[in-house]
Amino acid sequence: MAVLRASLALVLLTFLSYSTVLSLAYPGFNFGWGGHGGISGGHFGLFPEFYQSSCPQVDDIVISVLEKAIAKEPRMAASLLRLHFHDCFVQGCDASVLLDDSAGIASEKNSGPNKNSLRGFEVIDEIKAKLEAACPHTVSCADILALAARGSTVLSGGPNWVLPLGRRDSRSASLSGSNTNIPPPNSTIQNLVTFFKRQGLNEVDLVALSGGHTIGVARCTTFKQRLYNQNGNNQPDSSLDRTYYYGLKSVCPRSGGDNNISPLDFASPARFDNTYFRLILRGKGLLTSDEVLWTGNHRKTVELVKSYAENESLFFDQFAKSMVKMGNISPLTGFNGEVRKNCRRVN
């Protein structure tokens, strides 16, 4: 028995020594004892305290940059929220969307959904530079995207949430994945449900996350079809409120003006609230993919739109839950990937 106890003690000592080495080599690494996540089912997990020791000021640094950027341009909050979404839907939440073209990288920035549309990269660069100065080679670009999305929501008046951290950055991008995995603005309700289910997200997540359109704008090219040729008959979308329709036509002509912009929620475009859903009920959703949540004859999404339009707290609560769920799509953790020094290129 004494020999067995000695052997177990030696194993434990070896394990603890190994975990100490890991903690030094990978700042923020934690085996998750006490319910912090760490390793689950043989995988390194995400947990909110990941940078508690290695970079305790991470939240303050992110928020300080966001406050200035959003004060200068309120639209930036929506842009950063969209960056996280477009990242996670393509090979997981791994900051692949931030990589520029290089010898071995075909940048996702050049995909159909992203080209001349995705923005906020300079804000991410500024956050990364400040974090590298404070905590060198510690905070990943993938986590910066998640933190920026949460901070942008909060600073716009939306909900806060406990954010699991510990994502690492990819060494690759997927231009083809970016072209095929991001739902287009003219999606039918069936298409939307399919796109989200591919990512492990359900109808509740679809409607709640679509509510992120309560802030931000869209380009004329994304809703022009609704105004002039929705069903291939040279007629507008019949679900559009007529007054709203005429207002949109003044912004988005039949020919040209593709980059003209219109707010996704014209009633409170810079405030995160539930007005988006109340507008959809009145035929004033900007994109086809917005309005079909209500008009697409999908019982679950119809019920959710109505519920969120009536109860902002319910929407906020589910949006927070769905953001955490989306942020957990196929993250690189543990020894996978890397922590980039510059978010635009691999180390």
Side-chain angles (χ1 to χ4, degrees), residues 172-190:
S172 66
S174 178
L175 178 60
S176 62
S178 187
N179 276 316
T180 57
N181 290 340
I182 297 169
N186 62 348
S187 294
T188 64
I189 189 63
Q190 291 79 15

PDB file of all heavy atoms in Angstrom, residues 172-190:
ATOM      1  N   SER A 172      -4.639  29.436 -41.530  1.00  0.00           N
ATOM      2  CA  SER A 172      -5.200  29.339 -42.874  1.00  0.00           C
ATOM      3  C   SER A 172      -6.500  30.121 -42.943  1.00  0.00           C
ATOM      4  O   SER A 172      -7.071  30.506 -41.923  1.00  0.00           O
ATOM      5  CB  SER A 172      -5.465  27.871 -43.229  1.00  0.00           C
ATOM      6  OG  SER A 172      -6.482  27.338 -42.385  1.00  0.00           O
ATOM      7  N   ALA A 173      -6.949  30.354 -44.173  1.00  0.00           N
ATOM      8  CA  ALA A 173      -8.246  30.982 -44.416  1.00  0.00           C
ATOM      9  C   ALA A 173      -8.984  30.139 -45.448  1.00  0.00           C
ATOM     10  O   ALA A 173      -8.396  29.250 -46.066  1.00  0.00           O
ATOM     11  CB  ALA A 173      -8.052  32.410 -44.925  1.00  0.00           C
ATOM     12  N   SER A 174     -10.264  30.408 -45.627  1.00  0.00           N
ATOM     13  CA  SER A 174     -11.042  29.665 -46.615  1.00  0.00           C
ATOM     14  C   SER A 174     -11.908  30.623 -47.419  1.00  0.00           C
ATOM     15  O   SER A 174     -13.020  30.965 -47.013  1.00  0.00           O
ATOM     16  CB  SER A 174     -11.915  28.602 -45.938  1.00  0.00           C
ATOM     17  OG  SER A 174     -12.698  27.918 -46.903  1.00  0.00           O
ATOM     18  N   LEU A 175     -11.380  31.038 -48.560  1.00  0.00           N
ATOM     19  CA  LEU A 175     -12.133  31.918 -49.448  1.00  0.00           C
ATOM     20  C   LEU A 175     -13.395  31.210 -49.937  1.00  0.00           C
ATOM     21  O   LEU A 175     -14.480  31.794 -49.973  1.00  0.00           O
ATOM     22  CB  LEU A 175     -11.259  32.342 -50.629  1.00  0.00           C
ATOM     23  CG  LEU A 175     -11.906  33.239 -51.684  1.00  0.00           C
ATOM     24  CD1 LEU A 175     -12.391  34.546 -51.080  1.00  0.00           C
ATOM     25  CD2 LEU A 175     -10.918  33.507 -52.827  1.00  0.00           C
ATOM     26  N   SER A 176     -13.270  29.937 -50.282  1.00  0.00           N
ATOM     27  CA  SER A 176     -14.436  29.182 -50.764  1.00  0.00           C
ATOM     28  C   SER A 176     -15.475  29.027 -49.660  1.00  0.00           C
ATOM     29  O   SER A 176     -16.684  29.149 -49.898  1.00  0.00           O
ATOM     30  CB  SER A 176     -14.000  27.806 -51.281  1.00  0.00           C
ATOM     31  OG  SER A 176     -13.406  27.040 -50.245  1.00  0.00           O
ATOM     32  N   GLY A 177     -15.017  28.780 -48.424  1.00  0.00           N
ATOM     33  CA  GLY A 177     -15.938  28.654 -47.301  1.00  0.00           C
ATOM     34  C   GLY A 177     -16.679  29.950 -47.027  1.00  0.00           C
ATOM     35  O   GLY A 177     -17.862  29.945 -46.691  1.00  0.00           O
ATOM     36  N   SER A 178     -15.978  31.060 -47.213  1.00  0.00           N
ATOM     37  CA  SER A 178     -16.602  32.359 -47.002  1.00  0.00           C
ATOM     38  C   SER A 178     -17.668  32.622 -48.062  1.00  0.00           C
ATOM     39  O   SER A 178     -18.689  33.253 -47.795  1.00  0.00           O
ATOM     40  CB  SER A 178     -15.546  33.460 -47.028  1.00  0.00           C
ATOM     41  OG  SER A 178     -16.086  34.704 -46.683  1.00  0.00           O
ATOM     42  N   ASN A 179     -17.455  32.115 -49.259  1.00  0.00           N
ATOM     43  CA  ASN A 179     -18.429  32.291 -50.340  1.00  0.00           C
ATOM     44  C   ASN A 179     -19.653  31.388 -50.187  1.00  0.00           C
ATOM     45  O   ASN A 179     -20.724  31.704 -50.718  1.00  0.00           O
ATOM     46  CB  ASN A 179     -17.770  32.019 -51.702  1.00  0.00           C
ATOM     47  CG  ASN A 179     -17.037  33.229 -52.244  1.00  0.00           C
ATOM     48  OD1 ASN A 179     -17.537  34.344 -52.192  1.00  0.00           O
ATOM     49  ND2 ASN A 179     -15.830  33.021 -52.758  1.00  0.00           N
ATOM     50  N   THR A 180     -19.492  30.284 -49.458  1.00  0.00           N
ATOM     51  CA  THR A 180     -20.583  29.304 -49.408  1.00  0.00           C
ATOM     52  C   THR A 180     -21.276  29.178 -48.050  1.00  0.00           C
ATOM     53  O   THR A 180     -22.403  28.681 -47.982  1.00  0.00           O
ATOM     54  CB  THR A 180     -20.070  27.901 -49.803  1.00  0.00           C
ATOM     55  OG1 THR A 180     -18.994  27.522 -48.940  1.00  0.00           O
ATOM     56  CG2 THR A 180     -19.584  27.887 -51.245  1.00  0.00           C
ATOM     57  N   ASN A 181     -20.651  29.628 -46.966  1.00  0.00           N
ATOM     58  CA  ASN A 181     -21.200  29.381 -45.628  1.00  0.00           C
ATOM     59  C   ASN A 181     -21.938  30.559 -45.007  1.00  0.00           C
ATOM     60  O   ASN A 181     -22.601  30.399 -43.980  1.00  0.00           O
ATOM     61  CB  ASN A 181     -20.082  28.947 -44.669  1.00  0.00           C
ATOM     62  CG  ASN A 181     -19.573  27.556 -44.990  1.00  0.00           C
ATOM     63  OD1 ASN A 181     -20.249  26.776 -45.645  1.00  0.00           O
ATOM     64  ND2 ASN A 181     -18.371  27.243 -44.534  1.00  0.00           N
ATOM     65  N   ILE A 182     -21.797  31.745 -45.584  1.00  0.00           N
ATOM     66  CA  ILE A 182     -22.443  32.937 -45.017  1.00  0.00           C
ATOM     67  C   ILE A 182     -23.774  33.166 -45.722  1.00  0.00           C
ATOM     68  O   ILE A 182     -23.824  33.286 -46.948  1.00  0.00           O
ATOM     69  CB  ILE A 182     -21.532  34.175 -45.153  1.00  0.00           C
ATOM     70  CG1 ILE A 182     -20.247  33.953 -44.339  1.00  0.00           C
ATOM     71  CG2 ILE A 182     -22.257  35.429 -44.689  1.00  0.00           C
ATOM     72  CD1 ILE A 182     -19.167  34.984 -44.596  1.00  0.00           C
ATOM     73  N   PRO A 183     -24.877  33.210 -44.985  1.00  0.00           N
ATOM     74  CA  PRO A 183     -26.204  33.338 -45.617  1.00  0.00           C
ATOM     75  C   PRO A 183     -26.325  34.639 -46.412  1.00  0.00           C
ATOM     76  O   PRO A 183     -26.028  35.711 -45.887  1.00  0.00           O
ATOM     77  CB  PRO A 183     -27.173  33.345 -44.428  1.00  0.00           C
ATOM     78  CG  PRO A 183     -26.408  32.783 -43.283  1.00  0.00           C
ATOM     79  CD  PRO A 183     -24.969  33.122 -43.520  1.00  0.00           C
ATOM     80  N   PRO A 184     -26.759  34.563 -47.666  1.00  0.00           N
ATOM     81  CA  PRO A 184     -26.928  35.786 -48.455  1.00  0.00           C
ATOM     82  C   PRO A 184     -28.157  36.573 -48.011  1.00  0.00           C
ATOM     83  O   PRO A 184     -29.087  36.014 -47.406  1.00  0.00           O
ATOM     84  CB  PRO A 184     -27.099  35.273 -49.894  1.00  0.00           C
ATOM     85  CG  PRO A 184     -27.568  33.870 -49.749  1.00  0.00           C
ATOM     86  CD  PRO A 184     -26.998  33.347 -48.469  1.00  0.00           C
ATOM     87  N   PRO A 185     -28.198  37.873 -48.309  1.00  0.00           N
ATOM     88  CA  PRO A 185     -29.301  38.719 -47.839  1.00  0.00           C
ATOM     89  C   PRO A 185     -30.648  38.413 -48.489  1.00  0.00           C
ATOM     90  O   PRO A 185     -31.676  38.848 -47.989  1.00  0.00           O
ATOM     91  CB  PRO A 185     -28.829  40.138 -48.190  1.00  0.00           C
ATOM     92  CG  PRO A 185     -27.823  39.957 -49.267  1.00  0.00           C
ATOM     93  CD  PRO A 185     -27.150  38.657 -48.995  1.00  0.00           C
ATOM     94  N   ASN A 186     -30.646  37.659 -49.588  1.00  0.00           N
ATOM     95  CA  ASN A 186     -31.915  37.309 -50.238  1.00  0.00           C
ATOM     96  C   ASN A 186     -32.349  35.886 -49.897  1.00  0.00           C
ATOM     97  O   ASN A 186     -33.164  35.282 -50.600  1.00  0.00           O
ATOM     98  CB  ASN A 186     -31.799  37.474 -51.763  1.00  0.00           C
ATOM     99  CG  ASN A 186     -30.752  36.551 -52.374  1.00  0.00           C
ATOM    100  OD1 ASN A 186     -29.958  35.945 -51.667  1.00  0.00           O
ATOM    101  ND2 ASN A 186     -30.752  36.446 -53.697  1.00  0.00           N
ATOM    102  N   SER A 187     -31.827  35.351 -48.789  1.00  0.00           N
ATOM    103  CA  SER A 187     -32.141  33.973 -48.388  1.00  0.00           C
ATOM    104  C   SER A 187     -33.618  33.782 -48.075  1.00  0.00           C
ATOM    105  O   SER A 187     -34.264  34.660 -47.495  1.00  0.00           O
ATOM    106  CB  SER A 187     -31.334  33.587 -47.138  1.00  0.00           C
ATOM    107  OG  SER A 187     -29.956  33.525 -47.407  1.00  0.00           O
ATOM    108  N   THR A 188     -34.138  32.616 -48.440  1.00  0.00           N
ATOM    109  CA  THR A 188     -35.460  32.215 -47.981  1.00  0.00           C
ATOM    110  C   THR A 188     -35.341  31.728 -46.541  1.00  0.00           C
ATOM    111  O   THR A 188     -34.235  31.500 -46.038  1.00  0.00           O
ATOM    112  CB  THR A 188     -36.005  31.063 -48.831  1.00  0.00           C
ATOM    113  OG1 THR A 188     -35.157  29.908 -48.661  1.00  0.00           O
ATOM    114  CG2 THR A 188     -36.064  31.440 -50.308  1.00  0.00           C
ATOM    115  N   ILE A 189     -36.462  31.547 -45.878  1.00  0.00           N
ATOM    116  CA  ILE A 189     -36.414  31.067 -44.498  1.00  0.00           C
ATOM    117  C   ILE A 189     -35.824  29.656 -44.439  1.00  0.00           C
ATOM    118  O   ILE A 189     -35.068  29.333 -43.521  1.00  0.00           O
ATOM    119  CB  ILE A 189     -37.820  31.114 -43.835  1.00  0.00           C
ATOM    120  CG1 ILE A 189     -37.716  30.823 -42.334  1.00  0.00           C
ATOM    121  CG2 ILE A 189     -38.784  30.165 -44.508  1.00  0.00           C
ATOM    122  CD1 ILE A 189     -36.912  31.832 -41.553  1.00  0.00           C
ATOM    123  N   GLN A 190     -36.125  28.834 -45.440  1.00  0.00           N
ATOM    124  CA  GLN A 190     -35.560  27.481 -45.463  1.00  0.00           C
ATOM    125  C   GLN A 190     -34.044  27.520 -45.605  1.00  0.00           C
ATOM    126  O   GLN A 190     -33.328  26.760 -44.945  1.00  0.00           O
ATOM    127  CB  GLN A 190     -36.175  26.667 -46.609  1.00  0.00           C
ATOM    128  CG  GLN A 190     -37.644  26.317 -46.432  1.00  0.00           C
ATOM    129  CD  GLN A 190     -38.583  27.474 -46.772  1.00  0.00           C
ATOM    130  OE1 GLN A 190     -38.165  28.466 -47.406  1.00  0.00           O
ATOM    131  NE2 GLN A 190     -39.838  27.374 -46.347  1.00  0.00           N
TER     132      GLN A 190
END
